[in-house]
Amino acid sequence: MNSINTLCVSRASVKARIRTTVSALALVLGGAAAMVAVSSANAADAPAWAQEPACQSLQMVGAGGPAPKGSDLMVLRYVGSANFEMAYRDSVILFDAQYEREAFARPIGVTADQIKKVTALYIGHGHGDHMSEGPQIAKQANAPLYGAALTTEAALKMGLPEKQAMTVKNGDVQKYPGFTVESILSHHNSRTPEFTKVAGAAWAELQKATGIGRSAEARAAGNSGVIKGTSDPRVIDQGTYAFLITFDNGYKFMMLDSSGPITEGQRAVMKRIGKVDVASVAYQGYFVPKRQIEGTLPLVELFKPDIFLPNHHDETAGSFPDMGTEPLFMAVRDKMPATQSIAPLYRTPVCINIRTKEVFIGEPHTWPANKRQS
């Protein structure tokens, strides 16, 4: 997984600036021209709004971390699999909820039982690696869980109180202080059964050969009959949704946890709005970047984001291997030179000023010692 230690991007003057501890890169949007200048960057050099505690902490807001205070500050955190936390003013929105990890997988650094401050959960689709801890988190936070009918049906079987199950349809919109969330019918990754069988078997053999596979006990526990989601085949074309977040000032964030064929619903929305400012699209499933780029890149091209954040590219509970992001990012750069691709580490704050469109991404080792938080 890639990371950019500290990033400050400003498009207020139609430019993007990327800062690391040793350099700053200015990109002229709409063209391929780039200029590199030497600079230092740490928390003290960041804009005042990016020096908020919310931008200097690895702790999720939903798990007790500092919430953003500025009226223009949105904080995104990638928290493994296809999970994102979006914090804005007093709202904490979770997209997907799969935090459980097997012993050999990297821990996310937060567990589901720690997440108790949530305004709403939005589940892109009901497979276990997208919703396995959703009902638990929704119950302990007393928050609504939104998703397709197949998703909410599974959530109810997993113990979600009926009053918290919110089924969405294409075009449904929920209003929150300062922003809305619109549901867009999408399509799940369209792997063929033959590919799934062959690739899955190859991955299992590789795990076994390298000693990182699940033990017989772990496999038995994983098949103990506990409902962790749905395997209904209708998830493919009826149970997968993208979510468009539109702030009152027009800033837009698109969240999509799969990468299937472009749908009419997606085309209609993009014809209406033109582009988004930030997009997260899944990059997983085909085991080799070349094949997965074929699914992810057309969606990035459709959304035309200034900032692109992949999801689902990390090893997920033994189901998928880590996917190298460099081939995808190079493909995005070749097709869309004005789009900046970023793959932050787990829980790293991605702080965005939705008014100026500046972006600041901080890693702990770039912060002054007296300001470090975990």
Side-chain angles (χ1 to χ4, degrees):
M1 186 183 302
N2 298 338
S3 68
I4 297 179
N5 293 336
T6 304
L7 174 71
C8 184
V9 182
S10 174
R11 286 183 170 79
S13 58
V14 200
K15 291 183 178 180
R17 297 194 307 276
I18 303 174
R19 288 190 177 184
T20 68
T21 55
V22 295
S23 66
L25 173 64
L27 296 175
V28 179
L29 297 185
M35 176 178 63
V36 177
V38 176
S39 175
S40 63
N42 54 42
D45 297 323
W49 58 267
Q51 298 185 46
E52 280 199 25
C55 298
Q56 307 299 326
S57 173
L58 292 180
Q59 191 171 11
M60 291 177 66
V61 178
K69 297 178 181 178
S71 60
D72 296 322
L73 177 59
M74 170 180 67
V75 181
L76 294 173
R77 282 186 173 83
Y78 175 59
V79 278
S81 299
N83 308 323
F84 267 89
E85 177 191 67
M86 185 191 88
Y88 178 70
R89 298 183 182 176
D90 293 326
S91 297
V92 178
I93 307 295
L94 295 188
F95 298 100
D96 283 3
Q98 194 265 327
Y99 294 86
E100 183 178 314
R101 292 277 155 145
E102 295 189 42
F104 60 84
R106 288 184 306 281
I108 296 173
V110 65
T111 58
D113 59 359
Q114 295 173 314
I115 304 173
K116 299 178 180 178
K117 179 183 177 181
V118 180
T119 306
L121 292 85
Y122 284 83
I123 307 298
H125 66 276
H127 288 160
D129 57 336
H130 293 264
M131 71 168 292
S132 59
E133 282 74 63
Q136 174 193 339
I137 294 172
K139 283 197 295 183
Q140 63 198 25
N142 192 29
L145 184 152
Y146 291 89
L150 295 168
T151 299
T152 53
E153 289 169 7
L156 290 170
K157 293 177 182 178
M158 294 165 67
L160 181 71
E162 187 171 356
K163 66 179 181 179
Q164 293 175 239
M166 303 294 173
T167 299
V168 299
K169 301 184 299 298
N170 186 59
D172 283 358
V173 177
Q174 291 79 48
K175 173 67 178 175
Y176 300 91
F179 65 95
T180 60
V181 180
E182 178 179 354
S183 298
I184 307 165
L185 183 62
S186 299
H187 199 287
H188 190 268
N189 190 309
S190 54
R191 299 189 306 272
T192 64
E194 293 77 14
F195 179 89
T196 300
K197 181 178 179 180
V198 172
W203 176 229
E205 286 300 314
L206 180 60
Q207 289 179 307
K208 180 179 178 181
T210 55
I212 64 172
R214 288 186 291 178
S215 66
E217 293 78 8
R219 289 184 182 279
N223 296 314
S224 62
V226 177
I227 298 173
K228 305 291 285 187
T230 179
S231 57
D232 191 310
R234 293 176 295 171
V235 166
I236 303 300
D237 58 357
Q238 299 178 38
T240 301
Y241 277 83
F243 300 109
L244 173 65
I245 299 84
T246 303
F247 293 86
D248 287 355
N249 73 342
Y251 195 91
K252 295 176 176 63
F253 165 44
M254 181 73 80
M255 177 67 205
L256 176 57
D257 70 357
S258 196
S259 54
I262 293 171
T263 65
E264 289 305 311
Q266 292 169 343
R267 292 188 190 279
V269 167
M270 296 315 301
K271 182 178 180 179
R272 185 182 84 224
I273 68 175
K275 67 181 298 295
V276 302
D277 298 281
V278 181
S280 181
V281 179
Y283 175 59
Q284 95 301 328
Y286 279 117
F287 293 81
V288 290
K290 179 177 174 57
R291 291 301 310 276
Q292 184 53 36
I293 289 171
E294 295 170 2
T296 303
L297 184 60
L299 289 157
V300 181
E301 291 183 281
L302 177 69
F303 300 148
K304 301 180 181 66
D306 294 330
I307 301 293
F308 167 58
L309 304 166
N311 67 67
H312 219 333
H313 53 290
D314 65 330
E315 182 178 55
T316 305
S319 300
F320 299 114
D322 289 310
M323 292 281 288
T325 57
E326 291 88 348
L328 172 63
F329 287 0
M330 290 176 66
V332 171
R333 185 182 67 180
D334 290 345
K335 289 276 190 175
M336 308 170 66
T339 295
Q340 178 62 51
S341 299
I342 307 166
L345 301 179
Y346 295 162
R347 298 178 290 117
T348 291
V350 180
C351 294
I352 300 175
N353 186 310
I354 64 169
R355 179 178 55 83
T356 66
K357 300 190 177 184
E358 291 175 295
V359 178
F360 177 84
I361 300 181
E363 293 289 0
H365 67 268
T366 70
W367 305 337
N370 65 344
K371 288 191 177 182
R372 292 192 182 195
Q373 299 183 40
S374 61

